[in-house]
Amino acid sequence: MSADAIATRALQRLTTLGALRQVDAEFATLLQSRLAAAPAVALAGALAMRAVALGHSGFALAQANALLAELDADVALPATEDWSCALHASDCVAAHAVVRPFDGLRAHHERDGAESTPLVFEHGRIALQRYARYEHDLATRLLQRAAAPTSSLDMMWLSSRLNTLFGVPLMVSPEPVEGSNHDAQARAADTALCSALTLITGGPGTGKTTTVARILVLLHESALRDGLPPPRIALAAPTGRAAARMGEAIDTTLAHDVAAGHVDVQVAAAVTRDAQTLHRLLGWQAGRVTFRHDATHPLPFDVVVVDEASMVDLPLMSKLVAAVPPDAKLILIGDPDQLPAVEAGDVLGALCDVATPGAAFGTQRVHLTRGYRQAGSSALPALATAIQAGDGAAVVALLAAGDDSLHWHEGPVAALAQTLRGFALPAYQRIEQASDPAAALRGARAMRVLCALRNGPFGAQAWNAWFAEQLGARMPFFHGRLLMITTNSYRHGLFNGDVGVVWHDADGEAAVWFDTGDGLRAWSPTQLPAHDSAFATTVHKSQGSEFDHVAVVLPDADARVLGRELLYTALTRARQGVLLWSSQAVLLRALARTTRRDSGLAARLSSQ
C-alpha cells in the first residue's frame, strides 16, 4: 500500500478516535484543498499541529509512534523512508526555516517562495513553519551571544569583591566544594559580569536569587568605578507571583549584605527590586501575538534578568531574546528538573543539554547544588534527589521511614478528606481569623494543597469546593477565601498566578486583597479578571511559589500527566514538610515517567 493510501486511512482513523482535534483535521484538509498537498504531507501537518498542543515544537518522523502513544492511538503510519520522500517532494514543505526579513538574519532555504510553505522538514523533524522559525531564530541569537567577546574588568577588584560577598576569591575551583555552594555562586557572578549570556541553574533554595542580587551589586559598583551611569536593569519572570518573589528575595539579600557591611547602603538602594512579568516587560498588545519590543525596537536595558526560565515556552523565549539588545547582558535563572513550560518547547532543558564542557554554552552555565530552602530537614532534600534520579526504591524507603517532615498516606476520597481536615484545614481557618488582609496573605504562605489533576475526585476543583464547605461558605466571595488569578490583566495590574484573599470589612462589604508590586491593594469582586479558588491548585499553577507545608494529591489511578518532574516540582514547593497522598503503584509509575518534549532546539544549538 502506498504512503498516501496509508496516510489517508490514518487521517480518517485519528479523526474518528478523537486523537486529532477539529483544528488539526481542518489543517490537513486545507493543505490538500488549497496547496494540493499529498495525503502523506497532510497527515504530517496535522500531527505537527497536534504535537504543538502537547508541548512539542514538532516531531521526529522516525519517532512518530511515540506521538501516537501520547494520543492513545494505535494507527498504522507510512514507512519513514516513504513518508520522508513525500515530504521532500512537496512544494508546501520547506527544507529550512524561513527567516523573516525584519529579523536582520539571512534566510536559508532551497526553493523560491518558501515563505508560503507552512511546514518545515529538517534534520528528520517535521514542524510548523512558525515553530521552526522560533527555534532557528532563538538558536542563532543565543549562539551569537555565547560567542560575543567577554567584558574587560579589573580582576584584582573583582576577586576581592567576590571574596567579600561569597567567601571565595576569583580563582575558584572548577567544581563546587563538597558542602559549600559559595564557589559556584562566585563563578556565576564572574560569568555574568564578563559575558553577554549567563545561565544559572539549580534546585529550589540553592541561592540562585541571592547570587543574582549580588551580581546586580557588582554591576553597579563596576559602573561607579569606571565613572559610568548605573546600569539599566530589568527583572522579569513568567508569572506575577514569580516576579514578586524575585523582588522580595533580592530585597532580603541586599538588606542582609548591608547589615553585614558587605554592600554600601547607597549601592543597595540603587539596585532595582521591581520585577515584572515577561509580557509586561516586552509590551503586551491586546489582540496581537507580537510585542512592542522586538529586534527592531529593542528593550531599553543594559541587563535583563529572567527568573523561573523553565516556565518560559519557545515562542516567548524567542521573542524575548530577540528584544534584548545585542550589547546587553541576558541572565537566565531556572531549575531544569521542574516541569517545563505549559506551552510548546522546553528551552531551558535544551540549553542545559548543550551546556557541556567544550560546547558552545559550556562556559555560560553555572549549576548551583546546595539547597538552603529545606535546610531544616534532611529528608526533604534527600527525597528530591531520589525523585530526580527516578530511584523508586529510595523514594519509597524515605517516605516509609516516618520522618517528621514527610507523611505518606493513601486511600479513598473519604480518607483523604479526613486527613486534610487535620493537616490543611486549620491553616485555612487561621487565614479567615487573621487580624487584617496583610496578615491573611502572609498566613496563606503556610499551606497549599497541590493536585496533579484539575478535575475528578482527586482534582483541585473538587477540593476547593470541599474546603469552601468546611469553612462554612454561604456566598461565592466568602470571608477568607483564597483566589488565584488565571489570566494576565494589565488593566488591573493582576497577573496569572497572583493569589489574593477575600476580606469582609466591619460592614460586611467584601473586597479581594492582593500583595502587588505597588503594595497591598484591594479590588471589588466584580472587578476581578478570570480567577479560581486557590486552597487547592494544580502543581503546574504552583510553580514560582513556596509554602511552609504542602499536601501533594495524586489520583487513585495512573494518568499521563503524572511524571517525575511533576513530583519534583510539587515536593520542592515545601520549606518544612510534605504530605503525599498516593498509592505506591501510582507513585512508582509516576517516577518511571519523564516529561518528553520533542524539540529541535538542542540540535540547532549544536549544529549551527
Side-chain angles (χ1 to χ4, degrees):
M1 189 180 297
S2 69
D4 283 339
I6 295 172
T8 299
R9 289 190 178 186
L11 276 169
Q12 293 171 344
R13 180 65 176 155
L14 289 168
T15 302
T16 301
L17 291 173
L20 292 180
R21 303 165 301 167
Q22 182 178 348
V23 67
D24 306 322
E26 289 176 351
F27 183 53
T29 300
L30 178 68
L31 289 171
Q32 294 182 85
S33 62
R34 292 195 181 179
L35 297 177
V41 175
L43 173 63
L47 288 175
M49 181 169 282
R50 188 70 181 92
V52 169
L54 294 173
H56 311 297
S57 61
F59 69 96
L61 214 62
Q63 298 171 2
N65 282 323
L67 179 61
L68 293 187
E70 287 187 69
L71 299 170
D72 291 322
D74 186 9
V75 176
L77 296 173
T80 301
E81 184 176 351
D82 295 339
W83 207 355
S84 296
C85 289
L87 291 168
H88 282 304
S90 176
D91 288 334
C92 59
V93 181
H96 301 284
V98 177
V99 182
R100 292 187 184 277
F102 66 75
D103 285 329
L105 302 171
R106 182 181 178 183
H108 298 281
H109 49 83
E110 295 179 354
R111 57 172 67 90
D112 292 335
E115 184 64 23
S116 65
T117 54
L119 299 175
V120 174
F121 185 47
E122 187 178 12
H123 305 306
R125 297 185 73 255
I126 187 75
L128 301 178
Q129 177 70 249
R130 175 184 296 178
Y131 286 87
R133 183 184 295 124
Y134 284 142
E135 286 189 343
H136 173 88
D137 290 357
L138 179 58
T140 300
R141 289 191 169 93
L142 288 174
L143 286 168
Q144 289 172 345
R145 285 190 166 277
T150 58
S151 304
S152 177
L153 291 172
D154 182 335
M155 292 296 102
M156 291 293 291
W157 166 80
L158 181 58
S159 180
S160 173
R161 291 300 288 140
L162 291 176
N163 194 29
T164 298
L165 293 172
F166 299 103
V168 289
L170 180 60
M171 298 302 293
V172 294
S173 62
E175 296 296 334
V177 176
E178 185 68 27
S180 172
N181 203 43
H182 291 171
D183 58 342
Q185 292 175 327
R187 283 188 290 115
D190 178 33
T191 301
L193 263 70
C194 297
S195 306
L197 174 67
T198 304
L199 181 61
I200 303 175
T201 60
T206 50
K208 299 187 296 294
T209 313
T210 296
T211 303
V212 166
R214 291 170 177 168
I215 289 171
L216 302 184
V217 165
L218 292 170
L219 288 168
H220 274 271
E221 292 178 343
S222 178
L224 284 172
R225 283 175 53 82
D226 294 338
L228 299 174
R232 299 167 298 169
I233 297 171
L235 306 177
T239 67
R241 183 61 225 152
R245 281 194 55 243
M246 182 188 192
E248 293 165 0
I250 288 174
D251 186 64
T252 299
T253 298
L254 294 176
H256 173 275
D257 287 348
V258 168
H262 296 160
V263 174
D264 180 79
V265 64
Q266 291 184 332
V267 170
V271 174
T272 183
R273 280 85 155 163
D274 295 331
Q276 56 190 310
T277 65
L278 285 169
H279 285 77
R280 170 170 277 185
L281 172 71
L282 292 173
W284 174 83
Q285 302 178 93
R288 303 183 65 179
V289 297
T290 58
F291 294 100
R292 285 194 298 273
H293 293 289
D294 55 24
T296 57
H297 301 91
L299 291 163
F301 296 105
D302 305 305
V303 183
V304 176
V305 183
V306 179
D307 199 6
E308 298 290 352
S310 67
M311 299 170 64
V312 184
D313 58 51
L314 172 63
L316 184 56
M317 186 67 83
S318 179
K319 294 170 185 178
L320 167 69
V321 174
V324 177
D327 57 348
K329 294 181 180 296
L330 176 61
I331 303 173
L332 302 176
I333 315 164
D335 182 352
D337 292 311
Q338 285 191 32
L339 286 164
V342 175
E343 304 299 333
D346 181 9
V347 176
L348 182 63
L351 285 170
C352 291
D353 286 344
V354 300
T356 56
F361 295 94
T363 60
Q364 262 74 30
R365 181 192 180 192
V366 180
H367 187 65
L368 310 183
T369 55
R370 181 183 174 189
Y372 297 95
R373 175 184 297 178
Q374 300 168 334
S377 167
S378 60
L380 286 174
L383 183 60
T385 299
I387 290 174
Q388 285 174 304
D391 189 340
V395 169
V396 170
L398 285 164
L399 289 169
D403 184 274
D404 288 342
S405 62
L406 292 176
H407 304 274
W408 182 25
H409 302 282
E410 65 172 301
V413 168
L416 174 56
Q418 189 61 32
T419 299
L420 291 179
R421 185 173 285 111
F423 185 80
L425 185 59
Y428 293 148
Q429 289 171 330
R430 286 192 290 272
I431 291 174
E432 66 175 355
Q433 296 162 4
S435 57
D436 53 47
L441 287 170
R442 288 194 297 271
R445 302 174 186 176
M447 170 63 62
R448 198 59 46 91
V449 176
L450 307 180
C451 301
L453 305 179
R454 173 175 171 78
N455 301 311
F458 291 88
Q461 281 194 327
W463 290 102
N464 274 318
W466 182 84
F467 279 114
E469 179 183 0
Q470 298 301 306
L471 293 168
R474 293 181 176 84
M475 61 186 72
F477 292 93
F478 61 90
H479 185 75
R481 180 188 176 191
L482 290 182
L483 293 178
M484 176 180 285
I485 301 299
T486 58
T487 186
N488 291 331
S489 176
Y490 295 87
R491 179 169 66 88
H492 294 86
L494 294 172
F495 304 96
N496 186 13
D498 285 353
V499 173
V501 63
V502 177
W503 201 258
H504 290 195
D505 63 19
D507 296 325
E509 291 294 323
V512 187
W513 291 82
F514 291 85
D515 192 359
T516 73
D518 298 323
L520 204 64
R521 293 184 59 192
W523 280 263
S524 166
T526 59
Q527 293 178 314
L528 290 180
H531 58 273
D532 206 346
S533 291
F535 298 110
T537 69
T538 61
V539 176
H540 275 91
K541 286 290 188 182
S542 74
Q543 287 186 270
S545 300
E546 61 179 42
F547 312 96
D548 293 339
H549 295 84
V550 299
V552 181
V553 178
L554 305 188
D556 57 353
D558 191 26
R560 193 169 297 280
V561 69
L562 299 180
R564 195 179 302 171
E565 293 85 0
L566 181 139
L567 289 173
Y568 173 82
T569 300
L571 169 79
T572 53
R573 300 309 91 203
R575 288 183 289 255
Q576 299 174 19
V578 173
L579 164 70
L580 173 65
W581 191 272
S582 172
S583 69
Q584 181 169 323
V586 169
L587 175 63
L588 292 176
R589 281 196 288 270
L591 284 168
R593 182 185 291 121
T594 58
T595 302
R596 187 187 75 89
R597 287 289 172 90
D598 196 328
S599 167
L601 181 59
R604 292 179 186 276
L605 290 168
S606 300
S607 63
Q608 286 194 26

